Short mmCIF file of all heavy atoms in Angstrom, two decimals:
data_model
loop_
_atom_site.label_atom_id
_atom_site.label_comp_id
_atom_site.label_asym_id
_atom_site.label_seq_id
_atom_site.Cartn_x
_atom_site.Cartn_y
_atom_site.Cartn_z
N THR E 264 149.48 83.16 41.83
CA THR E 264 150.07 82.21 40.95
C THR E 264 151.19 81.43 41.66
O THR E 264 151.94 82.00 42.48
CB THR E 264 150.73 82.93 39.73
OG1 THR E 264 149.69 83.64 39.05
CG2 THR E 264 151.29 81.91 38.74
N MET E 265 151.24 80.11 41.34
CA MET E 265 152.33 79.28 41.84
C MET E 265 153.16 78.79 40.67
O MET E 265 152.63 78.64 39.53
CB MET E 265 151.71 78.08 42.57
CG MET E 265 152.72 77.05 43.03
SD MET E 265 151.99 75.66 43.92
CE MET E 265 150.98 74.89 42.58
N TYR E 266 154.44 78.55 40.91
CA TYR E 266 155.29 78.10 39.86
C TYR E 266 156.03 76.86 40.24
O TYR E 266 156.30 76.61 41.42
CB TYR E 266 156.36 79.21 39.59
CG TYR E 266 155.74 80.57 39.31
CD1 TYR E 266 155.61 81.51 40.30
CD2 TYR E 266 155.32 80.94 38.00
CE1 TYR E 266 155.00 82.72 40.07
CE2 TYR E 266 154.74 82.12 37.78
CZ TYR E 266 154.59 83.04 38.76
OH TYR E 266 154.04 84.27 38.51
N LEU E 267 156.53 76.18 39.19
CA LEU E 267 157.41 75.03 39.42
C LEU E 267 158.56 75.14 38.37
O LEU E 267 158.26 74.92 37.20
CB LEU E 267 156.76 73.67 39.35
CG LEU E 267 157.65 72.49 39.61
CD1 LEU E 267 158.04 72.47 41.09
CD2 LEU E 267 156.98 71.16 39.26
N GLN E 268 159.72 75.52 38.84
CA GLN E 268 160.87 75.59 37.95
C GLN E 268 161.56 74.29 37.95
O GLN E 268 161.98 73.77 39.00
CB GLN E 268 161.88 76.71 38.40
CG GLN E 268 163.06 76.77 37.57
CD GLN E 268 162.84 77.21 36.09
OE1 GLN E 268 162.02 78.13 35.92
NE2 GLN E 268 163.46 76.63 35.15
N MET E 269 161.67 73.64 36.78
CA MET E 269 162.19 72.28 36.67
C MET E 269 163.51 72.36 35.85
O MET E 269 163.48 72.73 34.66
CB MET E 269 161.22 71.35 36.01
CG MET E 269 159.85 71.34 36.78
SD MET E 269 158.69 70.11 36.02
CE MET E 269 158.41 70.94 34.44
N ASN E 270 164.61 72.06 36.46
CA ASN E 270 165.93 72.05 35.85
C ASN E 270 166.46 70.61 35.76
O ASN E 270 166.05 69.74 36.48
CB ASN E 270 166.86 72.97 36.60
CG ASN E 270 166.41 74.42 36.57
OD1 ASN E 270 165.74 74.85 35.65
ND2 ASN E 270 166.79 75.14 37.64
N SER E 271 167.49 70.44 34.95
CA SER E 271 168.13 69.12 34.84
C SER E 271 167.11 68.04 34.66
O SER E 271 167.21 66.95 35.35
CB SER E 271 169.01 68.84 36.09
OG SER E 271 169.96 69.86 36.23
N LEU E 272 166.22 68.22 33.82
CA LEU E 272 165.13 67.25 33.65
C LEU E 272 165.66 65.87 33.13
O LEU E 272 166.63 65.83 32.34
CB LEU E 272 164.09 67.81 32.68
CG LEU E 272 163.14 68.81 33.34
CD1 LEU E 272 162.45 69.67 32.31
CD2 LEU E 272 162.09 68.11 34.22
N LYS E 273 164.94 64.82 33.56
CA LYS E 273 165.30 63.46 33.22
C LYS E 273 164.09 62.85 32.55
O LYS E 273 163.00 63.23 32.80
CB LYS E 273 165.65 62.69 34.46
CG LYS E 273 166.79 63.29 35.31
CD LYS E 273 166.93 62.47 36.62
CE LYS E 273 168.00 63.13 37.49
NZ LYS E 273 168.11 62.33 38.77
N PRO E 274 164.34 61.81 31.69
CA PRO E 274 163.20 61.06 31.12
C PRO E 274 162.22 60.55 32.19
O PRO E 274 161.02 60.53 31.94
CB PRO E 274 163.91 59.93 30.40
CG PRO E 274 165.22 60.49 29.99
CD PRO E 274 165.63 61.37 31.16
N ALA E 275 162.79 60.23 33.38
CA ALA E 275 161.89 59.78 34.45
C ALA E 275 160.93 60.81 35.01
O ALA E 275 159.98 60.50 35.71
CB ALA E 275 162.71 59.22 35.62
N ASP E 276 161.19 62.10 34.62
CA ASP E 276 160.23 63.17 34.98
C ASP E 276 159.06 63.29 34.09
O ASP E 276 158.15 64.09 34.36
CB ASP E 276 161.02 64.50 35.04
CG ASP E 276 162.11 64.56 36.08
OD1 ASP E 276 161.88 64.10 37.19
OD2 ASP E 276 163.21 65.07 35.73
N THR E 277 159.02 62.51 33.02
CA THR E 277 157.90 62.52 32.09
C THR E 277 156.59 62.12 32.80
O THR E 277 156.51 61.05 33.38
CB THR E 277 158.18 61.63 30.92
OG1 THR E 277 159.33 62.12 30.17
CG2 THR E 277 156.96 61.54 29.95
N ALA E 278 155.62 63.02 32.70
CA ALA E 278 154.35 62.75 33.38
C ALA E 278 153.41 63.89 33.07
O ALA E 278 153.80 64.90 32.52
CB ALA E 278 154.55 62.63 34.90
N VAL E 279 152.15 63.73 33.43
CA VAL E 279 151.21 64.78 33.46
C VAL E 279 151.36 65.43 34.84
O VAL E 279 151.25 64.77 35.88
CB VAL E 279 149.75 64.40 33.27
CG1 VAL E 279 148.81 65.54 33.38
CG2 VAL E 279 149.62 63.73 31.90
N TYR E 280 151.60 66.74 34.90
CA TYR E 280 151.78 67.44 36.13
C TYR E 280 150.48 68.24 36.47
O TYR E 280 149.88 68.86 35.64
CB TYR E 280 152.93 68.47 35.99
CG TYR E 280 154.26 67.77 36.05
CD1 TYR E 280 154.72 66.91 35.08
CD2 TYR E 280 155.10 67.95 37.19
CE1 TYR E 280 155.94 66.28 35.10
CE2 TYR E 280 156.35 67.30 37.23
CZ TYR E 280 156.69 66.43 36.26
OH TYR E 280 157.95 65.81 36.31
N TYR E 281 150.14 68.18 37.76
CA TYR E 281 148.95 68.85 38.23
C TYR E 281 149.32 69.76 39.42
O TYR E 281 150.10 69.41 40.29
CB TYR E 281 147.98 67.80 38.83
CG TYR E 281 147.42 66.81 37.79
CD1 TYR E 281 148.08 65.61 37.55
CD2 TYR E 281 146.26 67.10 37.06
CE1 TYR E 281 147.61 64.73 36.61
CE2 TYR E 281 145.77 66.20 36.14
CZ TYR E 281 146.44 65.03 35.92
OH TYR E 281 145.95 64.14 35.01
N CYS E 282 148.66 70.94 39.43
CA CYS E 282 148.74 71.70 40.67
C CYS E 282 147.46 71.48 41.48
O CYS E 282 146.47 71.10 40.97
CB CYS E 282 148.92 73.18 40.32
SG CYS E 282 147.54 73.97 39.45
N ALA E 283 147.58 71.69 42.77
CA ALA E 283 146.51 71.43 43.68
C ALA E 283 146.49 72.36 44.88
O ALA E 283 147.58 72.93 45.24
CB ALA E 283 146.56 69.98 44.17
N ALA E 284 145.36 72.50 45.50
CA ALA E 284 145.22 73.43 46.60
C ALA E 284 144.44 72.81 47.73
O ALA E 284 143.55 72.02 47.54
CB ALA E 284 144.48 74.72 46.14
N ARG E 285 144.82 73.16 48.98
CA ARG E 285 144.11 72.69 50.15
C ARG E 285 143.95 73.89 51.10
O ARG E 285 144.93 74.56 51.43
CB ARG E 285 144.92 71.59 50.92
CG ARG E 285 144.34 71.21 52.25
CD ARG E 285 145.15 70.11 52.90
NE ARG E 285 144.74 69.90 54.26
CZ ARG E 285 143.75 69.05 54.63
NH1 ARG E 285 143.04 68.41 53.70
NH2 ARG E 285 143.46 68.88 55.87
N LEU E 286 142.74 74.16 51.46
CA LEU E 286 142.36 75.23 52.37
C LEU E 286 142.89 74.91 53.76
O LEU E 286 142.55 73.88 54.32
CB LEU E 286 140.90 75.45 52.41
CG LEU E 286 140.42 76.68 53.18
CD1 LEU E 286 140.92 77.96 52.59
CD2 LEU E 286 138.87 76.69 53.29
N VAL E 287 143.77 75.77 54.30
CA VAL E 287 144.39 75.50 55.62
C VAL E 287 144.33 76.78 56.43
O VAL E 287 144.24 77.92 55.89
CB VAL E 287 145.81 74.95 55.53
CG1 VAL E 287 145.86 73.60 54.87
CG2 VAL E 287 146.70 75.95 54.77
N ILE E 288 144.54 76.66 57.71
CA ILE E 288 144.59 77.79 58.61
C ILE E 288 146.01 78.30 58.80
O ILE E 288 146.28 79.51 58.66
CB ILE E 288 144.00 77.47 60.01
CG1 ILE E 288 142.48 77.11 59.85
CG2 ILE E 288 144.20 78.58 60.97
CD1 ILE E 288 141.79 76.70 61.09
N SER E 289 146.91 77.37 59.04
CA SER E 289 148.31 77.77 59.29
C SER E 289 148.93 78.41 58.03
O SER E 289 148.80 77.88 56.98
CB SER E 289 149.14 76.60 59.77
OG SER E 289 150.51 76.96 59.85
N THR E 290 149.68 79.50 58.24
CA THR E 290 150.28 80.22 57.12
C THR E 290 151.67 79.66 56.89
O THR E 290 152.27 79.91 55.79
CB THR E 290 150.35 81.66 57.35
OG1 THR E 290 151.13 81.94 58.51
CG2 THR E 290 148.94 82.24 57.51
N ARG E 291 152.30 79.02 57.85
CA ARG E 291 153.77 78.81 57.81
C ARG E 291 154.21 77.38 57.65
O ARG E 291 155.39 77.15 57.65
CB ARG E 291 154.37 79.36 59.05
CG ARG E 291 154.26 80.86 59.16
CD ARG E 291 154.84 81.42 60.43
NE ARG E 291 154.04 81.07 61.65
CZ ARG E 291 154.33 81.35 62.91
NH1 ARG E 291 155.43 82.04 63.07
NH2 ARG E 291 153.57 80.97 63.86
N VAL E 292 153.27 76.45 57.47
CA VAL E 292 153.69 75.01 57.57
C VAL E 292 153.10 74.30 56.30
O VAL E 292 152.00 74.58 55.90
CB VAL E 292 153.12 74.36 58.80
CG1 VAL E 292 153.58 72.89 58.86
CG2 VAL E 292 153.57 75.04 60.08
N VAL E 293 153.86 73.35 55.79
CA VAL E 293 153.29 72.38 54.82
C VAL E 293 152.68 71.26 55.64
O VAL E 293 153.44 70.38 56.17
CB VAL E 293 154.38 71.89 53.84
CG1 VAL E 293 153.83 70.79 52.97
CG2 VAL E 293 154.93 73.01 53.06
N GLN E 294 151.38 71.23 55.67
CA GLN E 294 150.67 70.30 56.61
C GLN E 294 150.60 68.92 56.04
O GLN E 294 150.58 67.93 56.81
CB GLN E 294 149.20 70.79 56.85
CG GLN E 294 149.12 71.99 57.74
CD GLN E 294 149.22 73.30 56.96
OE1 GLN E 294 149.55 73.27 55.76
NE2 GLN E 294 148.84 74.38 57.57
N THR E 295 150.60 68.79 54.73
CA THR E 295 150.42 67.48 54.13
C THR E 295 150.96 67.47 52.70
O THR E 295 151.00 68.50 52.08
CB THR E 295 148.93 67.03 54.11
OG1 THR E 295 148.82 65.80 53.47
CG2 THR E 295 148.10 68.06 53.34
N THR E 296 151.43 66.29 52.25
CA THR E 296 151.82 66.12 50.89
C THR E 296 151.09 64.97 50.26
O THR E 296 151.43 64.57 49.14
CB THR E 296 153.33 65.84 50.77
OG1 THR E 296 153.65 64.64 51.53
CG2 THR E 296 154.11 67.01 51.34
N ASP E 297 150.00 64.56 50.86
CA ASP E 297 149.17 63.46 50.35
C ASP E 297 148.19 63.99 49.34
O ASP E 297 147.34 64.86 49.76
CB ASP E 297 148.44 62.78 51.52
CG ASP E 297 147.63 61.51 51.09
OD1 ASP E 297 147.35 61.44 49.87
OD2 ASP E 297 147.33 60.73 51.96
N PRO E 298 148.18 63.55 48.11
CA PRO E 298 147.25 64.09 47.11
C PRO E 298 145.81 63.96 47.52
O PRO E 298 144.97 64.76 47.13
CB PRO E 298 147.58 63.34 45.86
CG PRO E 298 148.35 62.16 46.30
CD PRO E 298 149.05 62.51 47.52
N ALA E 299 145.48 62.98 48.37
CA ALA E 299 144.10 62.81 48.79
C ALA E 299 143.62 63.96 49.65
O ALA E 299 142.39 64.13 49.87
CB ALA E 299 143.96 61.46 49.52
N ASP E 300 144.52 64.70 50.22
CA ASP E 300 144.14 65.81 51.09
C ASP E 300 143.92 67.10 50.36
O ASP E 300 143.51 68.11 51.00
CB ASP E 300 145.25 66.02 52.13
CG ASP E 300 145.37 64.87 53.14
OD1 ASP E 300 144.34 64.19 53.35
OD2 ASP E 300 146.44 64.69 53.67
N PHE E 301 144.16 67.15 49.05
CA PHE E 301 144.04 68.36 48.27
C PHE E 301 142.67 68.29 47.57
O PHE E 301 142.38 67.37 46.80
CB PHE E 301 145.19 68.53 47.30
CG PHE E 301 146.45 68.90 48.03
CD1 PHE E 301 147.15 67.97 48.73
CD2 PHE E 301 146.96 70.16 47.91
CE1 PHE E 301 148.34 68.30 49.37
CE2 PHE E 301 148.11 70.56 48.49
CZ PHE E 301 148.88 69.60 49.28
N GLY E 302 141.88 69.32 47.66
CA GLY E 302 140.49 69.26 47.16
C GLY E 302 140.29 69.96 45.84
O GLY E 302 139.29 69.72 45.15
N SER E 303 141.19 70.82 45.42
CA SER E 303 141.04 71.57 44.16
C SER E 303 142.26 71.29 43.30
O SER E 303 143.40 71.34 43.77
CB SER E 303 140.95 73.07 44.43
OG SER E 303 139.84 73.35 45.24
N TRP E 304 142.02 71.04 42.03
CA TRP E 304 143.02 70.59 41.08
C TRP E 304 143.02 71.42 39.80
O TRP E 304 141.94 71.85 39.32
CB TRP E 304 142.84 69.13 40.82
CG TRP E 304 143.19 68.29 41.93
CD1 TRP E 304 142.33 67.91 42.97
CD2 TRP E 304 144.40 67.63 42.25
NE1 TRP E 304 142.96 67.14 43.89
CE2 TRP E 304 144.22 66.92 43.45
CE3 TRP E 304 145.68 67.54 41.62
CZ2 TRP E 304 145.28 66.16 44.07
CZ3 TRP E 304 146.63 66.81 42.21
CH2 TRP E 304 146.47 66.15 43.41
N GLY E 305 144.21 71.65 39.22
CA GLY E 305 144.29 72.20 37.92
C GLY E 305 144.01 71.11 36.88
O GLY E 305 143.78 69.92 37.20
N GLN E 306 144.01 71.55 35.61
CA GLN E 306 143.62 70.63 34.53
C GLN E 306 144.71 69.69 34.11
O GLN E 306 144.41 68.70 33.36
CB GLN E 306 143.12 71.44 33.32
CG GLN E 306 144.25 71.98 32.41
CD GLN E 306 144.81 73.32 32.85
OE1 GLN E 306 144.68 73.66 34.09
NE2 GLN E 306 145.51 73.99 31.99
N GLY E 307 145.89 69.85 34.51
CA GLY E 307 147.02 69.04 34.19
C GLY E 307 147.71 69.47 32.95
O GLY E 307 147.13 70.08 32.07
N THR E 308 149.05 69.25 32.90
CA THR E 308 149.81 69.62 31.74
C THR E 308 150.84 68.62 31.48
O THR E 308 151.51 68.16 32.44
CB THR E 308 150.44 71.07 31.92
OG1 THR E 308 151.05 71.45 30.71
CG2 THR E 308 151.46 71.08 33.05
N GLN E 309 151.11 68.24 30.26
CA GLN E 309 152.06 67.16 29.94
C GLN E 309 153.46 67.72 29.89
O GLN E 309 153.74 68.77 29.32
CB GLN E 309 151.76 66.57 28.58
CG GLN E 309 152.69 65.50 28.13
CD GLN E 309 152.53 64.20 28.92
OE1 GLN E 309 151.47 63.77 29.18
NE2 GLN E 309 153.71 63.63 29.32
N VAL E 310 154.37 67.00 30.57
CA VAL E 310 155.81 67.22 30.45
C VAL E 310 156.43 65.99 29.94
O VAL E 310 156.32 64.92 30.51
CB VAL E 310 156.36 67.60 31.84
CG1 VAL E 310 157.91 67.65 31.81
CG2 VAL E 310 155.83 68.89 32.32
N THR E 311 157.15 66.06 28.80
CA THR E 311 157.85 64.99 28.21
C THR E 311 159.28 65.30 28.09
O THR E 311 159.65 66.33 27.50
CB THR E 311 157.21 64.64 26.84
OG1 THR E 311 155.83 64.40 26.98
CG2 THR E 311 157.92 63.42 26.24
#
């Protein structure tokens, strides 16, 4: 399981939030933050 703790929320944070996964070899690095590089996605959840 992965989590996102969101504090001090602002109206600008309103959106549908998605989790995503990318199969990688390296265990210690965030290789990319481009959504196009992530192949598996959650169903999305609304944050208002």
Side-chain angles (χ1 to χ4, degrees):
T264 302
M265 175 179 65
Y266 306 96
L267 185 68
Q268 178 65 43
M269 304 184 292
N270 298 329
S271 302
L272 282 160
K273 305 175 182 179
D276 296 317
T277 296
V279 177
Y280 283 70
Y281 297 89
C282 64
R285 174 179 169 86
L286 186 64
V287 296
I288 295 175
S289 173
T290 61
R291 294 178 290 180
V292 182
V293 173
Q294 290 87 348
T295 179
T296 59
D297 185 341
D300 292 334
F301 288 73
S303 299
W304 292 82
Q306 80 275 19
T308 187
Q309 178 70 44
V310 171
T311 303

